[in-house]
Amino acid sequence: MDRETELYTIGQLAQYAGVSARTVRFWSDRGVLPPVGRSSGGYRLYDVVAVARLELIRTLRDLGLGLDAVAALLARHVTLADVAAAHVKALDAEIRTLQVRRAVMHTVARRQSTTEEMILMAKLTRLSAKERQRIIDDFVEEAFDGAADPDATVIAGWMRELPTAVGEDLTDEQIDAWLELAELVVDRDFRQKIRAMVLSAADDPRVEFGLNIRPLVLAHAGGAVERGVSPASAEGRETLDRVVPADLPAEEATALVAWLEMVADARTERYWQLLGTLNATDAGPPAVPAYAWLLAAMRAHRCP
């Protein structure tokens, strides 16, 4: 048997497999493609088994496996299934990283953010779930400090409710929601707004009244918003009377307007919407437009 016709040089092997000679030499130097001998001129020679081995190495490398993993597989230290499972985890982590980066850049483009804002957003996405929860907990604790009312305790619990896996297996929309939520809770004006709402709720009948009329607000004031009814119009007055009793004392009407000025705040509603996005729950239809309409109607007809 003429072995010279069955053996290949690095150049011949590279040409056969469609890779560069430099790549074959590198893989050979790393021990994953050992030669079976050398020619009289000292060149490394490879047999037909090396051809099949080279095809496998190339396939595994194209799939992204490192040479150490390839070497372990070829040495039968691990099975192909083991290598594939480990590689799936690595790919999942890489995909997650790319998704987070994409979400940050998408947010930067949408908001036309500055370099400083982009750096801050990147840092926020790298926080652990525990660190992210701490940001929300600090906000809620400050807002509800000293509030002993049972209802306030329940609301505080709702406001701090983040999924335990924030940053893991989230959609682009959820990542974007986390960035916006983190930005919102560190805003001093928003923190003061929530704190004022919490303090005003203590022994304040406006709160209970406001909650009781919520269905009426959404049905009638919300309907007026959809129809484009002006709050100051005659139809607006009729709609107002369906929500707030026409004989409501002037003092209570003034107090209700003050309360509506607090709750008709888009940022507060946005907080709940963002939590809903993060927790994959439905935050319900927007209520602020209806409350804002009611506030305008109250100012036009009851507290001019």
Side-chain angles (χ1 to χ4, degrees):
M1 180 179 296
D2 185 0
R3 288 189 55 84
E4 290 295 326
T5 62
E6 298 175 346
L7 300 179
Y8 306 87
T9 64
I10 286 180
Q12 292 171 329
L13 191 62
Q15 184 176 12
Y16 180 85
V19 298
S20 69
R22 183 176 182 179
T23 297
V24 174
R25 186 175 294 106
F26 176 72
W27 288 346
S28 184
D29 290 342
R30 290 292 300 271
V32 295
L33 190 64
V36 295
R38 290 185 178 267
S39 67
S40 57
Y43 294 104
R44 283 177 277 195
L45 298 174
Y46 304 86
D47 58 12
V48 291
V49 174
V51 175
R53 191 181 183 95
L54 178 58
E55 289 287 353
L56 176 59
I57 295 170
R58 181 182 177 184
T59 299
L60 294 173
R61 292 293 288 151
D62 286 345
L63 290 173
L65 269 69
L67 278 180
D68 289 341
V70 172
L73 176 61
L74 293 174
R76 294 294 189 272
H77 294 158
V78 293
T79 67
L80 180 58
D82 292 336
V83 172
H87 194 52
V88 166
K89 292 182 179 179
L91 287 174
D92 285 342
E94 185 176 354
I95 290 170
R96 186 75 222 123
T97 299
L98 291 174
Q99 287 176 329
V100 170
R101 289 176 183 172
R102 181 185 181 278
V104 170
M105 298 311 296
H106 176 268
T107 303
V108 168
R110 180 173 57 82
R111 299 184 185 179
Q112 298 185 344
S113 304
T114 64
T115 303
E116 291 76 13
E117 290 170 336
M118 182 183 70
I119 293 173
L120 175 60
M121 284 188 283
K123 289 180 179 178
L124 287 172
T125 58
R126 289 197 296 268
L127 294 177
S128 67
K130 185 176 182 179
E131 290 168 330
R132 281 184 282 266
Q133 186 66 61
R134 185 70 257 168
I135 290 176
I136 303 302
D137 287 345
D138 287 345
F139 160 70
V140 175
E141 287 169 9
E142 178 183 316
F144 287 84
D145 182 37
D149 181 71
D151 290 340
T153 302
V154 172
I155 294 173
W158 290 342
M159 292 191 77
R160 70 171 78 242
E161 194 170 287
L162 280 181
T164 56
V166 169
E168 301 173 9
D169 300 325
L170 295 183
T171 65
D172 286 357
E173 183 184 14
Q174 288 173 314
I175 294 173
D176 195 49
W178 160 246
L179 292 173
E180 186 177 344
L181 182 66
E183 183 179 54
L184 184 60
V185 299
V186 298
D187 181 86
R188 177 49 51 185
D189 182 64
F190 177 71
R191 295 172 79 101
Q192 291 174 346
K193 168 73 75 171
I194 297 299
R195 178 63 176 164
M197 291 177 64
V198 171
L199 294 178
S200 71
D203 301 321
D204 192 337
R206 291 174 294 175
V207 176
E208 184 175 358
F209 178 72
L211 293 175
N212 288 338
I213 67 171
R214 179 182 172 86
L216 295 176
V217 174
L218 295 179
H220 298 297
V225 172
E226 292 177 0
R227 298 192 308 274
V229 176
S230 170
S233 67
E235 185 179 353
R237 184 185 187 102
E238 293 175 1
T239 302
L240 172 63
D241 292 343
R242 297 190 188 102
V243 180
V244 180
D247 59 353
L248 187 70
E251 182 179 350
E252 292 184 30
T254 300
L256 178 60
V257 167
W259 182 76
L260 287 171
E261 287 173 344
M262 288 191 300
V263 299
D265 183 271
R267 294 174 304 170
T268 303
E269 185 164 66
R270 185 60 180 156
Y271 183 95
W272 293 109
Q273 290 172 339
L274 293 170
L275 277 187
T277 299
L278 286 169
N279 289 294
T281 58
D282 184 7
V288 164
Y291 276 102
W293 187 97
L294 182 64
L295 173 60
M298 286 291 294
R299 285 172 174 166
H301 303 291
R302 305 290 180 84
C303 302

